[in-house]
Amino acid sequence: MIPLSYYLILSAILFCIGVAGFFFKRDIVSIFISIELMLNGVNLAFVAFSHALHSISGNLFVFFVMVVAAAEAAVGLAIIIAVVRARQTLNVDRMDLMKL
Amino acid sequence: MSLVPAEFYWRILPELVLAGFGAVLMLIEGGGRAGNRGRLGAYVALLGSLLAFGAVFIQAANPGDAFQHMFRVDGFTVFFDFVIIGATVVVVLLSMDYLPTQHLERGEFYALLLFGTVGMTFMVGSVELIMIFISLEISSISTYVLAGYRRHAPRSTESSLKYFLLGSFATAFFLYGIALVYGATGTTQLYDVARASLTPIVGGGEADRVLLLAGALMFIGLGFKVSAAPFQVWTPDVYEGAPAPVTGFMSAGPKAAAFAIFLRIFYVALHSSGHAWFWMVYVAAILSMCLGNIAALLQTNIKRMLAYSSIAHAGYVLVAFAALGPEGISAVMFYLAAYVAMNIGAFAVVSHFAHREERYVDVKDYAGLGFRFPVPAFCLSLFLFSLIGVPLTGGFFGKLYVFRAALDAHLVGLTVIAVLNSALAAFYYLRVVVFLYMRQPAEEIAAPPMTGAFSLVMIACVAVVIWLGVFPNRVLEFASRSAAQMLR
């Protein structure tokens, strides 16, 4: 029997890798994938808690999170395509039309 | 016994109306002939949002819980529904002028507006974290698209991209917070969480610390949504790049809704750890006010200036938030109502003068407009005076109640900082008024058409700002009663 804490630590690690990727990646698609990784870290926490608490609702949340993530991906990729068409680049450092 | 009693549907009537009209708009957009579709869409959206506004009265007549205690209609819900749907009506009217000017008139713009409003109204009534999460996403995804609606303008798509990336990033934090609340208490219903947090279930005293961490994570997520410092970085760029009516909408609806769930989550579910998250709110309030106001002083683009000003206003709201009592809640509610009216009004005038491709959005472009276009210029000055907090405007009583709530909670230092900040803010608002009335223009802006829709927007916003500034009592009383109801 694997204890709950292992799952939670793994989920926190996944979440932190996502956060690090968000900050250090320069490519828009990679940044987007990092966000998905954060969401999946959270999903793992939901499932682990659901199992430990013998409550079904945690599993339900995961489905909702996946649906929302899919909707977000659809909109996000559309926005990325619009940006690439206008700018011919996927590098976030070039997204600097507006500065202080 | 029927599984879903009829009154449940009455309680979510505004949302049903909005979603129905949103779906109709999509059908019109897909099926109609090119040409008049945009105009037709505008009228359908206007009808839908007005009916939804009326439906709030029916909702208000049926208070109580709905759908397994996931949704609650109380004074708090009704108050924010009025504010948010009212904002949507005004933005629809405003877009009827703006979109044809920009050659963007399409039905799906209005559909997205209505769907976003569905998300926001669901958000303020939800008392279940997963419902809050889903409605937050409905509202966010719609606004991501709306921000990039001028999709051939690089600034607009850039603003949409930044909003999308940072918004989803913040959402992930919020969601992690929900997961931890669920783990610590075994439930995600806010009032059950409050009860469970008094009797820890999982791991004894550990649950308290987990809840505190959850509170911090949710604070990050919601801090982004209300653009409170230090999570405000996206605000200026997104506000500058998005189409002007959409910026007005973003600074009103999503912000009010985010503050509403902020209040519900922290005052109800995380009430027991109030002493700990109080300091997060305290620091965020000071940072938001100072950073927003100082940065706004340096701006020449008027949309960007209003973006920084909106960060500062989030700071004032957080001051009331830190008061930790029913007075704090009612002050937040009143302030947001006044803020929504004056800010949408200001953005309405900005979008009125913006012209094709938003060419005229610099303070210098406003030179001399006061005498050439007396009515819109006068309205803009009134909204700016209200943002400063001059008496006889809604902004004055908003600030007064915020400061009073903070003083009642013995937050003297915070109140002093807030007062100093509002004095500082007067500079950049008055600079626009000076340009309007006392400077000679370098280039004459062509006269924008004064349409019926724009006149209605001005009448509505001016009326609300003056009404809240002259007769604030009824609204404040309603807010105080709702605050007491919400805490029960």
Side-chain angles (χ1 to χ4, degrees):
Chain A
M1 173 79 188
I2 306 170
L4 173 65
S5 57
Y6 285 26
Y7 291 107
L8 294 183
I9 291 167
L10 179 62
S11 112
I13 291 173
L14 282 176
F15 191 84
C16 292
I17 294 175
V19 174
F22 182 88
F23 283 119
F24 297 120
K25 285 285 180 183
R26 298 269 64 99
D27 181 79
I28 297 172
V29 177
S30 310
I31 292 176
F32 182 57
I33 291 171
S34 307
I35 294 172
E36 295 293 311
L37 192 60
M38 290 164 73
L39 290 180
N40 283 322
V42 176
N43 276 348
L44 183 62
F46 267 126
V47 177
F49 279 131
S50 177
H51 185 72
L53 296 166
H54 303 291
S55 114
I56 196 73
S57 49
N59 288 326
L60 290 177
F61 298 160
V62 174
F63 286 114
F64 283 120
V65 175
M66 284 200 245
V67 170
V68 164
E72 227 172 41
V75 165
L77 292 175
I79 292 172
I80 292 174
I81 288 172
V83 168
V84 171
R85 279 209 182 127
R87 310 290 275 286
Q88 313 295 333
T89 175
L90 270 175
N91 191 327
V92 270
D93 292 330
R94 300 273 305 280
M95 302 296 148
D96 54 359
L97 282 180
M98 295 168 283
K99 274 273 168 70
L100 194 85
Chain B
M1 196 189 87
S2 150
L3 200 61
V4 181
E7 65 259 30
F8 283 13
Y9 291 110
W10 295 122
R11 284 174 193 149
I12 60 162
L13 193 62
E15 288 85 352
L16 291 177
V17 171
L18 286 166
F21 273 87
V24 168
L25 277 169
M26 301 287 278
L27 288 176
I28 294 175
E29 183 57 27
R33 265 182 312 159
N36 298 329
R37 280 194 312 221
R39 191 79 329 201
L40 178 63
Y43 289 123
V44 173
L46 186 62
L47 179 69
S49 46
L50 283 173
L51 283 179
F53 195 80
V56 182
F57 287 99
I58 299 177
Q59 184 192 38
N62 292 286
D65 281 8
F67 301 105
Q68 280 83 37
H69 304 285
M70 292 204 291
F71 191 83
R72 172 170 295 193
V73 176
D74 51 13
F76 189 75
T77 311
V78 170
F79 185 92
F80 277 103
D81 276 357
F82 274 128
V83 171
I84 291 166
I85 297 175
T88 306
V89 173
V90 170
V91 173
V92 169
L93 279 171
L94 192 56
S95 312
M96 290 168 89
D97 272 4
Y98 178 86
L99 294 182
T101 318
Q102 310 287 338
H103 299 288
L104 283 174
E105 194 161 48
R106 303 271 284 283
E108 74 251 22
F109 180 91
Y110 299 105
L112 286 166
L113 214 53
L114 293 195
F115 286 137
T117 313
V118 172
M120 290 160 215
T121 45
F122 259 128
M123 201 148 84
V124 298
S126 300
V127 289
E128 149 81 24
L129 284 168
I130 210 73
M131 268 285 289
I132 291 177
F133 167 71
I134 294 169
S135 33
L136 183 69
E137 281 300 285
I138 295 174
S139 119
S140 302
I141 289 177
S142 313
T143 28
Y144 299 151
V145 181
L146 284 174
Y149 204 74
R150 289 163 60 220
R151 65 193 161 94
H152 299 296
R155 273 168 197 266
S156 186
T157 50
E158 184 180 318
S159 115
S160 173
L161 178 76
K162 285 177 175 169
Y163 194 26
F164 166 71
L165 288 177
L166 287 163
S168 335
F169 183 65
T171 307
F173 277 93
F174 183 66
L175 196 63
Y176 204 8
I178 297 179
L180 292 182
V181 168
Y182 172 64
T185 61
T187 174
T188 47
Q189 212 273 356
L190 296 181
Y191 293 85
D192 290 344
V193 170
R195 236 165 285 138
S197 66
L198 298 175
T199 51
I201 302 167
V202 183
E206 296 275 294
D208 260 0
R209 259 174 283 161
V210 175
L211 268 186
L212 198 59
L213 182 61
L217 288 167
M218 288 200 278
F219 187 83
I220 296 176
L222 292 174
F224 262 100
K225 299 287 172 194
V226 301
S227 60
F231 316 111
Q232 89 299 355
V233 279
W234 58 274
T235 317
D237 288 3
V238 173
Y239 279 30
E240 186 186 337
V246 174
T247 313
F249 183 64
M250 282 194 299
S251 71
K255 200 165 190 161
F259 263 119
I261 54 168
F262 215 144
L263 282 172
R264 260 213 225 262
I265 293 175
F266 282 82
Y267 273 67
V268 174
L270 302 176
H271 183 75
S272 62
S273 47
H275 53 93
W277 55 255
F278 163 77
W279 290 106
M280 293 191 268
V281 177
Y282 193 90
V283 172
I286 293 178
L287 279 177
S288 310
M289 288 188 292
C290 296
L291 218 146
N293 280 324
I294 291 169
L297 282 174
L298 309 171
Q299 303 306 320
T300 56
N301 180 311
I302 201 152
K303 281 165 88 184
R304 216 173 162 82
M305 185 204 91
L306 285 172
Y308 279 111
S309 118
S310 107
I311 297 171
H313 283 275
Y316 301 133
V317 176
L318 287 174
V319 169
F321 204 116
L324 292 189
E327 295 82 24
I329 300 178
S330 53
V332 169
M333 291 166 75
F334 188 92
Y335 197 92
L336 283 172
Y339 173 75
V340 163
M342 58 203 185
N343 219 40
I344 287 198
F347 275 110
V349 180
V350 170
S351 90
H352 182 65
F353 286 135
H355 281 75
R356 185 98 209 270
E357 304 292 329
E358 302 209 346
R359 273 173 61 200
Y360 303 111
V361 286
D362 200 273
V363 183
K364 286 192 198 71
D365 300 326
Y366 284 67
L369 291 188
F371 299 106
R372 292 186 55 213
F373 310 109
V375 177
F378 171 78
C379 294
L380 179 60
S381 318
L382 180 81
F383 299 134
L384 293 174
F385 279 124
S386 180
L387 285 164
I388 296 172
V390 171
L392 292 182
T393 61
F396 171 73
F397 280 107
K399 283 219 171 69
L400 185 73
Y401 294 139
V402 165
F403 297 155
R404 199 179 63 185
L407 280 180
D408 283 349
H410 307 292
L411 301 171
V412 180
L414 195 60
T415 315
V416 170
I417 296 174
V419 171
L420 288 177
N421 262 292
S422 5
L424 183 69
F427 279 109
Y428 59 85
Y429 293 126
L430 285 176
R431 195 176 61 196
V432 178
V433 179
V434 167
F435 267 92
L436 278 176
Y437 290 102
M438 298 174 195
R439 293 286 167 89
Q440 289 304 316
E443 179 191 6
E444 294 248 312
I445 297 185
M450 190 72 184
T451 57
F454 180 70
S455 318
L456 280 176
V457 169
M458 285 298 103
I459 291 169
C461 293
V462 169
V464 173
V465 167
I466 300 277
W467 180 52
L468 290 178
V470 181
F471 308 106
N473 285 337
R474 271 193 67 193
V475 178
L476 189 74
E477 264 166 36
F478 186 78
S480 316
R481 249 182 297 131
S482 322
Q485 262 176 29
M486 187 193 95
L487 289 178
R488 208 180 310 130

